[in-house]
Amino acid sequence: MKKVNRSRRGRRDPKTEVGTRDMLSILPGDIKACNGDRLIFRSGKMQSKTGAGNGGSLSELPAEVQTCKGDKLRELPADLEAGNTDRLSQLPTDVLLDILERVGTLDAVKTCILSKKMQTLPTMLSQIVIDLSTEDLVRIHTVVADVTNKILSARPSKITIRKLKLKFFLSPSHCLSIGKCVGLAMADQKVDEAEFEILTPRNGHLCTEAYRLFFAQQFNDFFRDCPDAFAGLTGLHLQYMRFGESDITNILSYCKRLESLSLFMCDEGGGSVLHVEHARLVELVISYCEFKTVELTSLSKLQRMTFDNWPSSCAENPLVLGFVPQLSKLSLAKSCFSHKKLKLSQLLANVPSVNDLYLEFRSEKIWIQPESPKLLSPGLAKLRCVNLDNLPEECDIAWTMFLLEAAPFVVEFCITVWDHKCHRESQKSYSEKIDVKWEPSDPDFKHKNLAKLTIYGFQSDDNFTGHVRRVMEAAVNIKEVSLHDRKVCKVCAAKFPHVEVRPSSYPRSSDEKDLLRNKITETSVKASPAVIHFRS
Protein backbone atom coordinates (compact mmCIF):
# COMPACT_ATOMS: atom_id res chain seq x y z
CA MET A 1 0.00 0.00 0.00
CA LYS A 2 1.24 3.39 -0.85
CA LYS A 3 1.53 6.00 1.83
CA VAL A 4 1.73 9.62 1.49
CA ASN A 5 4.75 11.05 3.29
CA ARG A 6 4.28 14.34 5.03
CA SER A 7 7.22 16.68 5.70
CA ARG A 8 7.87 17.23 9.36
CA ARG A 9 8.31 20.74 10.63
CA GLY A 10 11.49 21.00 12.66
CA ARG A 11 12.66 23.68 15.01
CA ARG A 12 13.92 26.69 13.09
CA ASP A 13 17.26 28.34 13.68
CA PRO A 14 17.08 32.12 13.05
CA LYS A 15 20.49 31.92 11.40
CA THR A 16 19.05 29.76 8.64
CA GLU A 17 16.36 32.31 7.82
CA VAL A 18 18.65 35.11 6.70
CA GLY A 19 17.95 34.29 3.08
CA THR A 20 14.20 34.65 3.44
CA ARG A 21 14.55 38.33 2.54
CA ASP A 22 14.83 37.25 -1.07
CA MET A 23 11.42 35.55 -0.99
CA LEU A 24 9.87 38.10 1.33
CA SER A 25 10.46 40.70 -1.33
CA ILE A 26 7.79 39.03 -3.48
CA LEU A 27 5.11 39.26 -0.79
CA PRO A 28 2.66 42.17 -0.50
CA GLY A 29 3.27 44.74 2.21
CA ASP A 30 0.29 43.76 4.35
CA ILE A 31 1.48 40.18 4.50
CA LYS A 32 5.11 41.10 5.21
CA ALA A 33 3.94 43.20 8.11
CA CYS A 34 2.29 40.25 9.90
CA ASN A 35 3.80 39.98 13.35
CA GLY A 36 5.11 36.63 14.50
CA ASP A 37 4.32 34.99 11.16
CA ARG A 38 7.45 33.81 9.41
CA LEU A 39 8.32 31.92 6.29
CA ILE A 40 9.22 28.31 6.86
CA PHE A 41 12.61 28.08 5.16
CA ARG A 42 14.88 26.10 7.46
CA SER A 43 17.66 24.40 5.62
CA GLY A 44 20.26 27.08 5.18
CA LYS A 45 20.75 30.40 3.45
CA MET A 46 18.83 31.11 0.32
CA GLN A 47 20.93 32.67 -2.41
CA SER A 48 20.06 36.24 -3.38
CA LYS A 49 20.99 35.81 -7.02
CA THR A 50 18.17 36.45 -9.45
CA GLY A 51 17.71 35.64 -13.08
CA ALA A 52 19.03 32.69 -14.91
CA GLY A 53 21.38 34.35 -17.32
CA ASN A 54 21.37 33.84 -21.05
CA GLY A 55 23.28 30.83 -22.21
CA GLY A 56 26.93 30.49 -21.34
CA SER A 57 29.13 27.49 -20.62
CA LEU A 58 28.56 25.03 -17.85
CA SER A 59 31.63 26.34 -16.07
CA GLU A 60 29.70 29.56 -15.46
CA LEU A 61 27.02 27.77 -13.45
CA PRO A 62 26.55 28.75 -9.79
CA ALA A 63 29.13 27.48 -7.33
CA GLU A 64 26.48 25.30 -5.69
CA VAL A 65 26.26 23.21 -8.86
CA GLN A 66 30.00 22.98 -9.39
CA THR A 67 30.65 21.98 -5.78
CA CYS A 68 30.92 18.23 -5.55
CA LYS A 69 30.70 17.86 -1.80
CA GLY A 70 28.25 15.33 -0.52
CA ASP A 71 27.34 13.82 -3.86
CA LYS A 72 28.26 10.69 -5.75
CA LEU A 73 31.36 12.27 -7.26
CA ARG A 74 33.20 11.57 -4.04
CA GLU A 75 32.78 7.91 -4.81
CA LEU A 76 34.87 8.16 -7.99
CA PRO A 77 38.36 6.60 -7.97
CA ALA A 78 41.02 8.93 -6.59
CA ASP A 79 43.02 9.03 -9.81
CA LEU A 80 39.93 9.90 -11.85
CA GLU A 81 38.79 12.56 -9.38
CA ALA A 82 42.23 14.12 -9.51
CA GLY A 83 42.13 14.15 -13.29
CA ASN A 84 45.20 11.93 -13.65
CA THR A 85 43.37 9.28 -15.69
CA ASP A 86 40.16 10.52 -17.31
CA ARG A 87 38.76 7.10 -18.16
CA LEU A 88 35.13 8.22 -17.90
CA SER A 89 35.24 10.78 -20.70
CA GLN A 90 36.90 8.27 -23.00
CA LEU A 91 33.70 6.24 -23.19
CA PRO A 92 31.50 6.60 -26.30
CA THR A 93 29.07 9.53 -26.17
CA ASP A 94 25.95 7.36 -26.24
CA VAL A 95 27.24 5.32 -23.30
CA LEU A 96 28.07 8.46 -21.33
CA LEU A 97 24.62 9.90 -21.97
CA ASP A 98 23.00 6.67 -20.85
CA ILE A 99 24.99 6.81 -17.60
CA LEU A 100 24.26 10.49 -16.99
CA GLU A 101 20.53 10.03 -17.51
CA ARG A 102 20.42 7.55 -14.65
CA VAL A 103 21.23 10.29 -12.14
CA GLY A 104 19.64 13.68 -11.51
CA THR A 105 20.47 16.46 -13.93
CA LEU A 106 22.44 18.43 -11.33
CA ASP A 107 24.64 15.41 -10.60
CA ALA A 108 25.14 14.96 -14.34
CA VAL A 109 26.24 18.60 -14.68
CA LYS A 110 28.66 18.26 -11.76
CA THR A 111 30.15 15.14 -13.33
CA CYS A 112 30.65 16.83 -16.69
CA ILE A 113 32.42 19.82 -15.14
CA LEU A 114 35.30 17.47 -14.30
CA SER A 115 36.24 17.17 -17.94
CA LYS A 116 36.30 19.69 -20.79
CA LYS A 117 35.43 16.88 -23.18
CA MET A 118 32.17 16.25 -21.31
CA GLN A 119 30.97 19.82 -20.73
CA THR A 120 28.65 19.76 -23.74
CA LEU A 121 26.98 16.48 -22.73
CA PRO A 122 24.28 18.02 -20.45
CA THR A 123 22.94 19.89 -23.48
CA MET A 124 22.47 16.53 -25.20
CA LEU A 125 20.53 14.77 -22.43
CA SER A 126 17.13 13.48 -23.44
CA GLN A 127 15.96 13.71 -19.81
CA ILE A 128 16.28 16.90 -17.79
CA VAL A 129 15.09 16.29 -14.23
CA ILE A 130 15.66 18.76 -11.39
CA ASP A 131 13.63 17.40 -8.51
CA LEU A 132 15.36 18.57 -5.32
CA SER A 133 14.01 18.07 -1.81
CA THR A 134 12.28 21.12 -0.37
CA GLU A 135 15.18 21.68 2.01
CA ASP A 136 17.77 21.64 -0.78
CA LEU A 137 15.56 23.80 -2.97
CA VAL A 138 15.36 26.44 -0.23
CA ARG A 139 19.14 26.49 -0.01
CA ILE A 140 19.89 26.74 -3.75
CA HIS A 141 16.61 27.79 -5.30
CA THR A 142 18.27 29.91 -8.02
CA VAL A 143 20.00 26.85 -9.44
CA VAL A 144 16.84 25.50 -11.09
CA ALA A 145 16.50 28.57 -13.30
CA ASP A 146 20.25 28.83 -13.95
CA VAL A 147 20.78 25.21 -14.97
CA THR A 148 17.57 24.99 -17.00
CA ASN A 149 18.42 28.13 -18.95
CA LYS A 150 22.02 27.17 -19.69
CA ILE A 151 21.15 23.62 -20.78
CA LEU A 152 18.16 24.53 -22.95
CA SER A 153 19.69 27.63 -24.55
CA ALA A 154 22.70 25.67 -25.85
CA ARG A 155 20.78 22.53 -26.80
CA PRO A 156 20.79 21.18 -30.37
CA SER A 157 17.24 21.41 -31.71
CA LYS A 158 17.38 17.98 -33.36
CA ILE A 159 17.54 16.12 -30.03
CA THR A 160 14.12 15.24 -28.62
CA ILE A 161 13.49 15.94 -24.95
CA ARG A 162 11.87 12.77 -23.71
CA LYS A 163 11.30 14.09 -20.18
CA LEU A 164 11.56 17.54 -18.64
CA LYS A 165 10.69 17.71 -14.94
CA LEU A 166 11.30 20.83 -12.86
CA LYS A 167 10.47 21.59 -9.23
CA PHE A 168 10.81 25.23 -8.21
CA PHE A 169 9.48 27.94 -5.94
CA LEU A 170 6.84 30.44 -7.00
CA SER A 171 9.21 33.40 -7.28
CA PRO A 172 8.38 35.84 -10.11
CA SER A 173 11.88 36.40 -11.50
CA HIS A 174 12.90 32.75 -11.42
CA CYS A 175 9.52 31.51 -12.68
CA LEU A 176 9.66 33.90 -15.62
CA SER A 177 13.19 32.78 -16.50
CA ILE A 178 12.19 29.11 -16.36
CA GLY A 179 8.96 29.66 -18.29
CA LYS A 180 10.62 31.64 -21.08
CA CYS A 181 13.47 29.19 -21.70
CA VAL A 182 11.14 26.17 -21.52
CA GLY A 183 8.72 27.89 -23.92
CA LEU A 184 11.51 28.57 -26.41
CA ALA A 185 12.68 24.96 -26.18
CA MET A 186 9.16 23.72 -26.87
CA ALA A 187 8.93 25.96 -29.91
CA ASP A 188 12.30 24.78 -31.30
CA GLN A 189 12.21 21.05 -30.60
CA LYS A 190 10.00 18.14 -29.69
CA VAL A 191 9.25 17.65 -25.99
CA ASP A 192 7.50 14.37 -25.14
CA GLU A 193 6.89 15.04 -21.42
CA ALA A 194 7.14 18.31 -19.52
CA GLU A 195 6.21 18.67 -15.86
CA PHE A 196 6.18 21.63 -13.45
CA GLU A 197 5.90 21.16 -9.69
CA ILE A 198 5.48 24.63 -8.21
CA LEU A 199 6.01 25.14 -4.49
CA THR A 200 4.88 28.17 -2.52
CA PRO A 201 7.31 29.83 -0.07
CA ARG A 202 4.81 29.26 2.69
CA ASN A 203 2.70 26.24 3.56
CA GLY A 204 0.80 24.38 6.23
CA HIS A 205 -1.24 26.25 8.81
CA LEU A 206 0.98 29.31 8.23
CA CYS A 207 -0.44 29.75 4.75
CA THR A 208 -3.42 32.01 5.48
CA GLU A 209 -6.15 32.89 3.00
CA ALA A 210 -4.33 36.13 2.18
CA TYR A 211 -1.23 34.19 1.17
CA ARG A 212 -3.23 31.69 -0.87
CA LEU A 213 -4.95 34.51 -2.79
CA PHE A 214 -1.60 36.17 -3.38
CA PHE A 215 0.07 32.98 -4.58
CA ALA A 216 -2.80 32.33 -7.00
CA GLN A 217 -2.36 35.86 -8.37
CA GLN A 218 1.37 35.26 -8.83
CA PHE A 219 0.72 31.97 -10.60
CA ASN A 220 -1.82 33.60 -12.94
CA ASP A 221 0.79 36.22 -13.85
CA PHE A 222 3.34 33.47 -14.53
CA PHE A 223 0.74 31.59 -16.58
CA ARG A 224 -0.08 34.63 -18.72
CA ASP A 225 3.59 35.59 -19.25
CA CYS A 226 4.70 32.11 -20.41
CA PRO A 227 1.91 30.75 -22.64
CA ASP A 228 4.23 28.57 -24.77
CA ALA A 229 5.57 26.70 -21.73
CA PHE A 230 2.13 25.94 -20.31
CA ALA A 231 0.72 24.99 -23.70
CA GLY A 232 3.28 22.17 -23.86
CA LEU A 233 3.02 20.90 -20.28
CA THR A 234 1.95 17.31 -19.67
CA GLY A 235 2.13 17.54 -15.85
CA LEU A 236 1.27 20.35 -13.42
CA HIS A 237 1.33 20.20 -9.63
CA LEU A 238 0.14 23.18 -7.58
CA GLN A 239 -0.29 23.87 -3.87
CA TYR A 240 -1.73 26.49 -1.48
CA MET A 241 -3.57 28.69 -3.97
CA ARG A 242 -7.05 30.20 -3.85
CA PHE A 243 -8.02 31.01 -7.41
CA GLY A 244 -10.79 33.16 -8.74
CA GLU A 245 -13.89 31.75 -10.37
CA SER A 246 -13.12 29.80 -13.57
CA ASP A 247 -9.32 30.19 -13.17
CA ILE A 248 -8.75 26.43 -12.96
CA THR A 249 -11.09 25.86 -15.90
CA ASN A 250 -9.06 28.38 -17.94
CA ILE A 251 -5.81 26.64 -17.00
CA LEU A 252 -7.19 23.29 -18.14
CA SER A 253 -8.55 24.70 -21.38
CA TYR A 254 -5.17 26.23 -22.29
CA CYS A 255 -2.94 23.33 -21.18
CA LYS A 256 -4.24 21.08 -23.93
CA ARG A 257 -1.44 18.48 -23.60
CA LEU A 258 -1.92 18.06 -19.85
CA GLU A 259 -2.05 14.44 -18.68
CA SER A 260 -1.52 14.83 -14.94
CA LEU A 261 -2.90 17.53 -12.63
CA SER A 262 -2.43 17.70 -8.87
CA LEU A 263 -4.07 20.31 -6.62
CA PHE A 264 -3.18 20.45 -2.92
CA MET A 265 -5.12 22.99 -0.85
CA CYS A 266 -6.18 24.79 -4.00
CA ASP A 267 -9.72 25.94 -4.77
CA GLU A 268 -11.78 28.81 -6.11
CA GLY A 269 -13.16 29.87 -2.75
CA GLY A 270 -14.87 27.91 -0.01
CA GLY A 271 -18.05 26.24 -1.22
CA SER A 272 -17.18 26.58 -4.91
CA VAL A 273 -17.99 23.92 -7.50
CA LEU A 274 -15.28 22.64 -9.81
CA HIS A 275 -16.27 21.32 -13.24
CA VAL A 276 -13.45 19.43 -14.92
CA GLU A 277 -13.31 18.83 -18.67
CA HIS A 278 -10.22 17.84 -20.62
CA ALA A 279 -9.48 15.69 -23.64
CA ARG A 280 -6.12 14.22 -22.54
CA LEU A 281 -6.04 14.18 -18.72
CA VAL A 282 -5.06 10.72 -17.45
CA GLU A 283 -4.45 11.41 -13.74
CA LEU A 284 -6.18 13.83 -11.36
CA VAL A 285 -5.31 14.39 -7.69
CA ILE A 286 -7.40 16.74 -5.50
CA SER A 287 -6.34 16.88 -1.84
CA TYR A 288 -7.51 19.12 1.01
CA CYS A 289 -9.34 21.42 -1.39
CA GLU A 290 -12.46 23.23 -0.19
CA PHE A 291 -14.72 22.63 -3.15
CA LYS A 292 -18.33 21.96 -2.32
CA THR A 293 -18.45 19.55 -5.24
CA VAL A 294 -15.94 18.29 -7.78
CA GLU A 295 -17.68 17.23 -10.95
CA LEU A 296 -15.74 15.32 -13.57
CA THR A 297 -17.91 16.39 -16.45
CA SER A 298 -15.97 14.95 -19.38
CA LEU A 299 -12.60 13.24 -19.04
CA SER A 300 -12.50 10.64 -21.79
CA LYS A 301 -8.95 9.44 -20.99
CA LEU A 302 -8.91 9.69 -17.19
CA GLN A 303 -7.56 6.48 -15.64
CA ARG A 304 -6.55 7.44 -12.08
CA MET A 305 -8.40 9.68 -9.63
CA THR A 306 -7.39 10.57 -6.05
CA PHE A 307 -9.81 12.60 -3.93
CA ASP A 308 -8.66 13.28 -0.36
CA ASN A 309 -10.17 15.12 2.59
CA TRP A 310 -13.12 16.95 1.12
CA PRO A 311 -14.90 19.36 3.53
CA SER A 312 -17.42 17.84 5.92
CA SER A 313 -19.82 20.64 5.00
CA CYS A 314 -19.81 19.71 1.32
CA ALA A 315 -22.74 18.39 -0.68
CA GLU A 316 -24.19 14.92 -0.25
CA ASN A 317 -22.12 13.84 -3.25
CA PRO A 318 -18.77 15.67 -2.96
CA LEU A 319 -17.49 13.88 -6.06
CA VAL A 320 -19.58 13.43 -9.20
CA LEU A 321 -18.17 11.07 -11.80
CA GLY A 322 -19.66 12.03 -15.13
CA PHE A 323 -18.16 10.86 -18.41
CA VAL A 324 -15.02 8.99 -17.31
CA PRO A 325 -15.20 5.77 -19.34
CA GLN A 326 -11.58 4.70 -18.70
CA LEU A 327 -11.38 5.37 -14.96
CA SER A 328 -9.73 2.27 -13.50
CA LYS A 329 -8.18 3.35 -10.19
CA LEU A 330 -10.09 5.39 -7.61
CA SER A 331 -8.58 6.49 -4.27
CA LEU A 332 -10.68 8.20 -1.60
CA ALA A 333 -9.48 9.33 1.85
CA LYS A 334 -11.33 11.18 4.58
CA SER A 335 -11.39 11.91 8.31
CA CYS A 336 -15.08 11.73 9.14
CA PHE A 337 -16.81 13.32 12.13
CA SER A 338 -20.28 13.89 10.69
CA HIS A 339 -23.24 11.58 10.10
CA LYS A 340 -22.87 11.88 6.32
CA LYS A 341 -21.89 8.71 4.54
CA LEU A 342 -20.92 8.15 0.95
CA LYS A 343 -22.89 5.66 -1.09
CA LEU A 344 -20.66 3.86 -3.53
CA SER A 345 -23.68 2.81 -5.60
CA GLN A 346 -24.37 6.48 -6.39
CA LEU A 347 -20.73 7.46 -6.84
CA LEU A 348 -19.96 4.60 -9.26
CA ALA A 349 -23.31 4.48 -11.01
CA ASN A 350 -21.79 5.63 -14.31
CA VAL A 351 -18.34 4.12 -13.81
CA PRO A 352 -18.35 0.32 -14.08
CA SER A 353 -14.72 0.44 -15.28
CA VAL A 354 -13.08 0.81 -11.82
CA ASN A 355 -10.88 -2.20 -11.07
CA ASP A 356 -8.77 -0.82 -8.19
CA LEU A 357 -10.52 0.80 -5.21
CA TYR A 358 -8.60 2.38 -2.31
CA LEU A 359 -10.50 3.78 0.70
CA GLU A 360 -8.65 5.46 3.60
CA PHE A 361 -10.44 6.21 6.89
CA ARG A 362 -7.75 8.07 8.89
CA SER A 363 -8.48 5.83 11.93
CA GLU A 364 -11.80 7.63 12.39
CA LYS A 365 -15.43 6.82 11.60
CA ILE A 366 -16.39 4.70 8.63
CA TRP A 367 -17.69 7.13 6.01
CA ILE A 368 -19.06 4.72 3.41
CA GLN A 369 -22.50 3.21 3.68
CA PRO A 370 -22.75 -0.60 3.54
CA GLU A 371 -25.25 -1.36 0.79
CA SER A 372 -27.17 -4.21 -0.72
CA PRO A 373 -25.15 -6.18 -3.28
CA LYS A 374 -28.00 -5.74 -5.78
CA LEU A 375 -27.61 -1.95 -5.63
CA LEU A 376 -23.82 -1.92 -5.59
CA SER A 377 -22.94 -4.72 -8.02
CA PRO A 378 -23.35 -2.67 -11.25
CA GLY A 379 -20.70 -0.17 -10.07
CA LEU A 380 -18.25 -2.88 -8.99
CA ALA A 381 -18.63 -5.17 -11.99
CA LYS A 382 -14.94 -4.96 -12.94
CA LEU A 383 -13.40 -4.48 -9.51
CA ARG A 384 -10.26 -6.60 -8.97
CA CYS A 385 -8.43 -5.04 -6.01
CA VAL A 386 -9.90 -3.55 -2.80
CA ASN A 387 -7.79 -1.76 -0.22
CA LEU A 388 -9.37 -0.52 3.03
CA ASP A 389 -6.76 1.49 4.92
CA ASN A 390 -6.55 2.70 8.54
CA LEU A 391 -9.80 1.34 9.91
CA PRO A 392 -10.16 2.25 13.60
CA GLU A 393 -9.21 -0.52 16.01
CA GLU A 394 -12.59 -0.32 17.79
CA CYS A 395 -14.42 -1.17 14.59
CA ASP A 396 -15.94 -4.58 13.86
CA ILE A 397 -14.48 -5.46 10.47
CA ALA A 398 -17.27 -7.88 9.55
CA TRP A 399 -19.07 -5.08 7.65
CA THR A 400 -16.42 -5.24 4.92
CA MET A 401 -18.04 -8.45 3.59
CA PHE A 402 -20.61 -6.36 1.71
CA LEU A 403 -17.89 -5.32 -0.75
CA LEU A 404 -16.98 -8.90 -1.52
CA GLU A 405 -20.62 -9.81 -2.03
CA ALA A 406 -21.08 -6.93 -4.48
CA ALA A 407 -17.82 -7.47 -6.39
CA PRO A 408 -17.67 -11.07 -7.68
CA PHE A 409 -14.41 -10.60 -9.60
CA VAL A 410 -12.23 -9.24 -6.79
CA VAL A 411 -8.89 -11.07 -6.68
CA GLU A 412 -7.11 -9.24 -3.83
CA PHE A 413 -8.67 -7.85 -0.65
CA CYS A 414 -6.54 -5.91 1.84
CA ILE A 415 -7.55 -4.44 5.21
CA THR A 416 -5.40 -2.31 7.53
CA VAL A 417 -6.64 -1.77 11.08
CA TRP A 418 -4.61 0.88 12.85
CA ASP A 419 -5.18 3.74 15.26
CA HIS A 420 -2.56 5.83 13.52
CA LYS A 421 -2.64 8.94 15.70
CA CYS A 422 -0.48 11.00 13.37
CA HIS A 423 -3.27 10.84 10.78
CA ARG A 424 -6.19 11.21 13.15
CA GLU A 425 -7.66 14.66 13.53
CA SER A 426 -8.83 13.90 17.05
CA GLN A 427 -7.40 11.72 19.76
CA LYS A 428 -10.81 10.47 20.80
CA SER A 429 -12.28 7.94 18.45
CA TYR A 430 -15.83 8.48 17.30
CA SER A 431 -16.23 4.94 16.05
CA GLU A 432 -17.71 3.68 19.31
CA LYS A 433 -20.50 6.27 19.22
CA ILE A 434 -21.80 5.31 15.81
CA ASP A 435 -21.38 1.66 14.86
CA VAL A 436 -21.39 0.50 11.26
CA LYS A 437 -24.86 -0.83 10.57
CA TRP A 438 -25.09 -3.49 7.91
CA GLU A 439 -27.09 -6.53 7.02
CA PRO A 440 -25.22 -9.79 7.76
CA SER A 441 -24.04 -11.56 4.64
CA ASP A 442 -25.82 -14.56 3.19
CA PRO A 443 -24.39 -17.68 4.93
CA ASP A 444 -24.50 -19.50 1.60
CA PHE A 445 -22.65 -16.73 -0.27
CA LYS A 446 -19.71 -17.99 -2.36
CA HIS A 447 -16.94 -15.99 -4.02
CA LYS A 448 -15.11 -17.81 -6.81
CA ASN A 449 -12.34 -15.35 -7.71
CA LEU A 450 -10.83 -14.06 -4.47
CA ALA A 451 -7.26 -15.41 -4.33
CA LYS A 452 -5.61 -13.38 -1.57
CA LEU A 453 -6.70 -11.83 1.73
CA THR A 454 -4.26 -9.54 3.57
CA ILE A 455 -4.84 -8.02 7.01
CA TYR A 456 -2.49 -5.56 8.72
CA GLY A 457 -3.09 -5.06 12.42
CA PHE A 458 -4.34 -8.60 12.94
CA GLN A 459 -5.08 -9.60 16.54
CA SER A 460 -5.96 -13.00 18.04
CA ASP A 461 -9.54 -12.09 18.96
CA ASP A 462 -12.91 -13.05 17.57
CA ASN A 463 -13.17 -9.84 15.54
CA PHE A 464 -10.29 -10.94 13.33
CA THR A 465 -10.36 -14.72 13.53
CA GLY A 466 -14.10 -14.78 12.86
CA HIS A 467 -13.71 -12.53 9.82
CA VAL A 468 -10.85 -14.58 8.36
CA ARG A 469 -12.89 -17.75 8.87
CA ARG A 470 -15.93 -16.21 7.17
CA VAL A 471 -13.91 -15.04 4.16
CA MET A 472 -12.26 -18.44 3.77
CA GLU A 473 -15.66 -20.13 3.88
CA ALA A 474 -17.01 -17.84 1.17
CA ALA A 475 -13.92 -17.66 -1.05
CA VAL A 476 -13.83 -21.22 -2.33
CA ASN A 477 -10.68 -20.70 -4.43
CA ILE A 478 -8.63 -18.54 -2.10
CA LYS A 479 -4.92 -19.42 -2.14
CA GLU A 480 -3.28 -17.20 0.47
CA VAL A 481 -4.13 -15.42 3.71
CA SER A 482 -1.42 -13.03 4.95
CA LEU A 483 -1.79 -11.78 8.51
CA HIS A 484 0.48 -8.97 9.81
CA ASP A 485 0.89 -7.40 13.23
CA ARG A 486 0.11 -3.74 13.84
CA LYS A 487 2.20 -1.24 12.02
CA VAL A 488 4.57 0.87 14.13
CA CYS A 489 5.00 4.62 13.84
CA LYS A 490 7.81 6.21 15.85
CA VAL A 491 6.30 9.65 15.34
CA CYS A 492 3.06 8.54 17.00
CA ALA A 493 4.95 7.25 20.04
CA ALA A 494 7.01 10.43 20.35
CA LYS A 495 4.15 12.84 19.73
CA PHE A 496 1.55 11.10 21.91
CA PRO A 497 3.50 9.45 24.75
CA HIS A 498 0.57 9.89 27.14
CA VAL A 499 -1.82 7.85 24.96
CA GLU A 500 -2.03 4.28 26.14
CA VAL A 501 -1.32 1.70 23.47
CA ARG A 502 -3.35 -1.48 23.55
CA PRO A 503 -1.21 -4.57 24.10
CA SER A 504 -0.86 -6.66 20.97
CA SER A 505 -2.25 -10.20 20.91
CA TYR A 506 -0.54 -11.08 17.65
CA PRO A 507 0.94 -14.60 17.83
CA ARG A 508 4.73 -14.65 18.21
CA SER A 509 5.93 -18.20 18.61
CA SER A 510 5.48 -21.05 16.16
CA ASP A 511 3.21 -22.84 18.62
CA GLU A 512 0.96 -19.79 19.00
CA LYS A 513 0.69 -19.46 15.23
CA ASP A 514 -0.14 -23.13 14.76
CA LEU A 515 -2.84 -22.99 17.43
CA LEU A 516 -4.38 -19.93 15.80
CA ARG A 517 -4.37 -21.57 12.36
CA ASN A 518 -6.22 -24.50 13.82
CA LYS A 519 -8.67 -22.19 15.58
CA ILE A 520 -9.50 -20.43 12.31
CA THR A 521 -9.96 -23.58 10.23
CA GLU A 522 -10.98 -26.45 12.50
CA THR A 523 -14.47 -25.18 13.32
CA SER A 524 -15.49 -25.04 9.69
CA VAL A 525 -15.39 -27.89 7.23
CA LYS A 526 -16.39 -25.42 4.52
CA ALA A 527 -13.18 -23.42 4.70
CA SER A 528 -10.98 -23.62 1.62
CA PRO A 529 -7.45 -25.07 1.95
CA ALA A 530 -5.73 -21.67 1.77
CA VAL A 531 -2.27 -21.22 3.26
CA ILE A 532 -2.34 -18.90 6.29
CA HIS A 533 0.88 -16.91 6.68
CA PHE A 534 1.81 -14.88 9.76
CA ARG A 535 4.09 -12.31 8.19
CA SER A 536 5.32 -10.22 11.11
Side-chain angles (χ1 to χ4, degrees), residues 134-360:
T134 303
E135 289 75 12
D136 288 340
L137 197 58
V138 167
R139 181 170 52 86
I140 54 173
H141 70 286
T142 61
V143 165
V144 181
D146 289 339
V147 173
T148 302
N149 187 290
K150 293 185 185 300
I151 289 178
L152 294 181
S153 63
R155 183 180 181 83
S157 59
K158 62 181 180 180
I159 302 177
T160 298
I161 299 177
R162 290 193 294 110
K163 183 177 183 180
L164 173 66
K165 181 179 181 180
L166 303 175
K167 181 194 290 186
F168 52 93
F169 275 111
L170 185 63
S171 170
S173 59
H174 301 119
C175 286
L176 186 61
S177 175
I178 291 170
K180 292 296 185 183
C181 69
V182 169
L184 287 173
M186 289 179 173
D188 293 341
Q189 55 198 292
K190 183 180 178 182
V191 180
D192 290 342
E193 295 181 20
E195 180 178 341
F196 282 175
E197 181 176 351
I198 304 176
L199 308 182
T200 55
R202 202 174 186 86
N203 61 34
H205 67 281
L206 297 177
C207 194
T208 62
E209 183 175 0
Y211 276 106
R212 292 174 63 192
L213 288 167
F214 176 64
F215 293 146
Q217 178 185 348
Q218 281 193 318
F219 174 81
N220 283 334
D221 292 340
F222 175 33
F223 181 76
R224 285 191 295 268
D225 291 339
C226 303
D228 292 339
F230 282 92
L233 284 186
T234 57
L236 180 61
H237 310 286
L238 304 177
Q239 61 173 224
Y240 299 104
M241 298 181 192
R242 173 150 286 180
F243 292 98
E245 185 177 356
S246 300
D247 279 352
I248 297 176
T249 300
N250 292 336
I251 293 170
L252 285 168
S253 64
Y254 192 80
C255 299
K256 297 186 183 301
R257 294 191 63 210
L258 204 62
E259 296 179 1
S260 177
L261 174 66
S262 174
L263 301 175
F264 182 82
M265 289 195 72
C266 295
D267 51 59
E268 295 178 338
S272 56
V273 177
L274 177 65
H275 298 276
V276 186
E277 295 185 25
H278 200 277
R280 299 187 63 170
L281 203 64
V282 174
E283 180 178 37
L284 177 62
V285 178
I286 298 179
S287 298
Y288 290 88
C289 299
E290 296 184 20
F291 296 109
K292 181 180 179 181
T293 303
V294 173
E295 183 174 349
L296 308 189
T297 308
S298 179
L299 294 168
S300 59
K301 293 190 176 182
L302 188 71
Q303 297 177 19
R304 301 178 297 277
M305 170 69 185
T306 298
F307 190 46
D308 291 351
N309 285 79
W310 54 91
S312 298
S313 59
C314 66
E316 182 178 352
N317 296 319
L319 177 63
V320 178
L321 301 176
F323 183 66
V324 283
Q326 296 190 44
L327 182 63
S328 60
K329 185 172 183 177
L330 179 62
S331 300
L332 306 173
K334 171 70 174 168
S335 292
C336 182
F337 303 105
S338 68
H339 294 272
K340 292 181 180 179
K341 290 192 175 183
L342 198 64
K343 291 186 177 181
L344 293 178
S345 61
Q346 294 180 3
L347 178 66
L348 303 175
N350 300 321
V351 195
S353 57
V354 173
N355 61 48
D356 190 333
L357 182 64
Y358 173 84
L359 306 176
E360 218 268 59

Side-chain angles (χ1 to χ4, degrees), residues 333-487:
K334 171 70 174 168
S335 292
C336 182
F337 303 105
S338 68
H339 294 272
K340 292 181 180 179
K341 290 192 175 183
L342 198 64
K343 291 186 177 181
L344 293 178
S345 61
Q346 294 180 3
L347 178 66
L348 303 175
N350 300 321
V351 195
S353 57
V354 173
N355 61 48
D356 190 333
L357 182 64
Y358 173 84
L359 306 176
E360 218 268 59
F361 298 92
R362 300 285 197 265
S363 301
E364 294 289 356
K365 285 196 309 185
I366 306 303
W367 43 260
I368 61 170
Q369 178 66 50
E371 299 180 77
S372 164
K374 292 182 179 180
L375 290 175
L376 191 54
S377 290
L380 303 183
K382 295 185 178 180
L383 197 61
R384 299 294 182 271
C385 298
V386 178
N387 208 320
L388 306 180
D389 200 8
N390 288 342
L391 300 177
E393 292 181 4
E394 304 93 337
C395 180
D396 182 352
I397 61 175
W399 66 270
T400 61
M401 283 295 298
F402 90 94
L403 288 168
L404 285 177
E405 291 184 82
F409 296 103
V410 165
V411 176
E412 294 187 22
F413 197 83
C414 180
I415 298 173
T416 299
V417 180
W418 190 17
D419 279 349
H420 188 18
K421 296 173 178 58
C422 287
H423 285 183
R424 287 173 62 170
E425 294 186 14
S426 77
Q427 297 314 307
K428 181 179 180 181
S429 175
Y430 285 70
S431 303
E432 293 179 331
K433 295 186 177 181
I434 300 180
D435 295 328
V436 180
K437 297 180 180 180
W438 65 291
E439 293 296 327
S441 59
D442 182 353
D444 296 324
F445 161 67
K446 299 299 177 184
H447 198 290
K448 297 180 180 180
N449 291 290
L450 184 66
K452 183 176 180 179
L453 171 67
T454 303
I455 298 180
Y456 291 91
F458 177 85
Q459 299 295 291
S460 304
D461 57 33
D462 291 339
N463 183 26
F464 290 91
T465 58
H467 183 64
V468 173
R469 184 184 305 116
R470 179 69 189 96
V471 172
M472 292 179 66
E473 290 176 351
V476 293
N477 294 314
I478 193 168
K479 303 299 182 185
E480 179 182 338
V481 176
S482 294
L483 306 177
H484 302 250
D485 197 1
R486 290 174 182 156
K487 295 182 179 181

Side-chain angles (χ1 to χ4, degrees), residues 7 43 48 100 129 182 203 282 307 310 317 325 364 428 491 508 514 519:
S7 299
S43 300
S48 59
L100 292 174
V129 178
V182 169
N203 61 34
V282 174
F307 190 46
W310 54 91
N317 296 319
E364 294 289 356
K428 181 179 180 181
V491 177
R508 303 296 175 187
D514 288 340
K519 180 181 177 180

